[in-house]
Amino acid sequence: MRQHEAETMKKGECFILCDAGGGTVDVVGYKVDRLDPNLDIRMMTVPIGSNCGSSYINRDFQDWLRSILGDEYYSQLDPRTDAQRISGHAMEGAKMRELMQSFEFHKKAFNSFSEETKLDLPSPLDNIDIEGYVESGELTVPPEVMRSLFDPYVDEAIELIQGQVGQIEAKRNRVKSVFLIGGFSESPFLREQLENSMRMRKLLLRRPDTSWSAVVRGAVLFGIEQTARLNELSAPTAAKSYGVTVSIPYSRRKHDSRDVYTDPLTGRVKAKEQIIWLVRKGDLLQSNDPSVIEETINWNFGSSSNRRIKLPIFQYPDDDIPDRFATAHEELEIVEVLTADLSVIPLYRFASR
């Protein structure tokens, strides 16, 4: 939350922290014992989590896609057997990863007022037609289908929060705020549904986005693991934001038309030089437990091209992080360059067009 919101927290106030990630949604309730000079909080509930994170929306989308395409077409995107998909021992193919990267972009932008979601199916399905859903390889996902993918996991998150509220009320205390963090918290639809539900219980939904929020997050992480040493809390935060530039599927609503181009290899319309922030200013840094940040990036090359990739990591010092490299390049500083030499991998291992 923002600094002026942080100042509204009072001694004795109870709050719920909901960490909505990709795999799980974890919730726990706390009471503020002290704000100054250091944050001192006390666990009030039994922490609980459930497998209802955003990755399960992807899984259900793939199940829906299979029902639309049929097994023959679907297997051309994902050749894994049912047993391999369930076990997770075999990775998705390049074509399915390409489609899911596009779906992920639309999933993060979906809200209650979104219209149809359009996705380009990869080759060899880029020219198929299925009445009502696919035209010349373009897949249409109706808004009611997108909502049906979200609803079970949003409902489960609401139930988890309500359970924590009930535990605190059983101790004759009152919850005023619910703090929403984690990757799934970026979903506008999730926030809308939680806000509607919380409003009915006269609760305020807050989405922390500054260093104060990282202190709360650190307090909770520390409290879950070492409640006996809560007063020794230390929560260092990132002083700057760090990101990379990539090309992503173009959206008329989100991207500047000056960044649009058509990929000469895939024929897909994309927005170039968009900045993906891997670490944001104020994020919690656990010095004794390094974090792993993952981002899928596709790279196209010719059979005779140099296959040594260089990916600069940029840093930005302020809170108003930019989205376009074209207008922000003079404000960014390269702090590291990641390299990957793909020439050691035989060409037949790569997806080809």
Side-chain angles (χ1 to χ4, degrees):
M1 67 183 175
R2 296 172 178 81
Q3 188 62 37
H4 72 274
E5 291 173 328
E7 293 170 355
T8 66
M9 291 289 287
K10 299 177 181 178
K11 178 181 177 181
E13 186 170 323
C14 294
F15 66 91
I16 305 295
L17 184 117
C18 177
D19 188 352
T24 64
V25 173
D26 302 289
V27 293
V28 63
Y30 278 86
K31 186 172 186 176
V32 178
D33 284 339
R34 183 178 63 189
L35 283 169
D36 295 315
N38 298 310
L39 177 65
D40 190 354
I41 59 179
R42 172 171 26 116
M43 189 184 297
M44 294 287 286
T45 66
V46 177
I48 190 171
S50 181
N51 294 327
C52 55
S54 61
S55 63
Y56 291 92
I57 297 173
N58 294 14
R59 182 199 62 183
D60 289 357
F61 166 72
Q62 290 176 333
D63 290 343
W64 174 84
L65 179 63
R66 188 175 186 177
S67 72
I68 297 301
L69 297 181
D71 290 341
E72 182 179 353
Y73 280 148
Y74 186 85
S75 64
Q76 296 181 56
L77 294 178
D78 188 359
R80 296 177 301 169
T81 65
D82 288 340
Q84 287 174 327
R85 276 192 286 268
I86 293 171
S87 67
H89 291 159
M91 292 183 62
E92 289 177 343
K95 294 174 182 178
M96 181 58 79
R97 289 199 300 273
E98 179 183 344
L99 177 62
M100 293 309 297
Q101 184 180 31
S102 180
F103 175 75
E104 186 74 20
F105 170 77
H106 290 283
K107 182 184 75 173
K108 289 181 177 179
F110 179 73
N111 61 63
S112 299
F113 304 100
S114 293
E115 299 178 353
E116 296 176 335
T117 297
K118 303 285 187 178
L119 301 171
D120 291 325
L121 294 176
S123 174
L125 305 184
D126 49 353
N127 287 310
I128 69 169
D129 292 291
I130 298 177
E131 185 177 357
Y133 292 102
V134 183
E135 183 176 353
S136 298
E138 184 181 62
L139 173 70
T140 297
V141 186
E144 60 270 19
V145 170
M146 284 290 286
R147 179 166 186 140
S148 72
L149 299 176
F150 277 83
D151 279 344
Y153 307 110
V154 172
D155 290 346
E156 193 163 352
I158 291 173
E159 289 182 8
L160 291 174
I161 293 171
Q162 289 176 340
Q164 297 292 296
V165 172
Q167 287 188 49
I168 290 178
E169 290 180 346
K171 297 179 179 180
R172 302 179 65 83
N173 284 268
R174 184 163 66 97
V175 178
K176 290 187 176 181
S177 304
V178 176
F179 290 90
L180 182 64
I181 64 173
F184 197 9
S185 72
E186 297 178 6
S187 164
F189 185 77
L190 174 65
R191 296 198 302 270
E192 290 167 0
Q193 299 306 304
L194 288 182
E195 283 175 349
N196 291 338
S197 176
M198 298 304 104
R199 191 179 302 115
M200 294 174 61
R201 299 188 67 111
K202 297 183 178 180
L203 300 177
L204 177 64
L205 182 69
R206 292 174 167 175
R207 187 178 173 221
D209 58 4
T210 66
S211 58
W212 194 94
S213 75
V215 173
V216 174
R217 189 180 305 182
V220 173
L221 292 172
F222 194 89
I224 290 174
E225 297 174 1
Q226 304 183 53
T227 54
R229 299 174 57 207
L230 187 58
N231 289 336
E232 299 174 22
L233 171 65
S234 176
T237 61
K240 300 179 181 180
S241 297
Y242 299 88
V244 297
T245 60
V246 297
S247 294
I248 59 179
Y250 174 70
S251 168
R252 186 181 295 111
R253 293 191 299 271
K254 185 173 182 179
H255 298 127
D256 193 296
S257 60
R258 290 170 293 181
D259 295 333
V260 67
Y261 77 103
T262 301
D263 188 304
L265 184 63
T266 65
R268 308 213 184 282
V269 179
K270 294 186 175 181
K272 64 182 178 181
E273 295 185 322
Q274 305 301 298
I275 306 175
I276 295 178
W277 295 105
L278 306 175
V279 176
R280 294 172 181 261
K281 182 178 179 180
D283 281 356
L284 175 67
L285 302 177
Q286 299 184 65
S287 58
N288 60 346
D289 185 16
S291 299
V292 176
I293 301 167
E294 297 183 357
E295 185 68 40
T296 300
I297 298 176
N298 293 327
W299 184 58
N300 301 322
F301 57 88
S303 59
S304 59
S305 301
N306 179 2
R307 284 184 275 152
R308 186 174 177 82
I309 303 172
K310 292 186 177 181
L311 185 67
I313 305 294
F314 298 97
Q315 72 175 17
Y316 184 73
D318 299 323
D319 293 326
D320 57 334
I321 53 176
D323 296 321
R324 301 178 62 227
F325 181 77
T327 54
H329 63 278
E330 293 184 355
E331 304 173 69
L332 304 174
E333 179 183 350
I334 297 177
V335 293
E336 186 60 80
V337 178
L338 301 182
T339 60
D341 188 359
L342 302 186
S343 63
V344 298
I345 303 175
L347 278 175
Y348 72 84
R349 298 285 300 276
F350 296 95
S352 62
R353 292 180 182 272

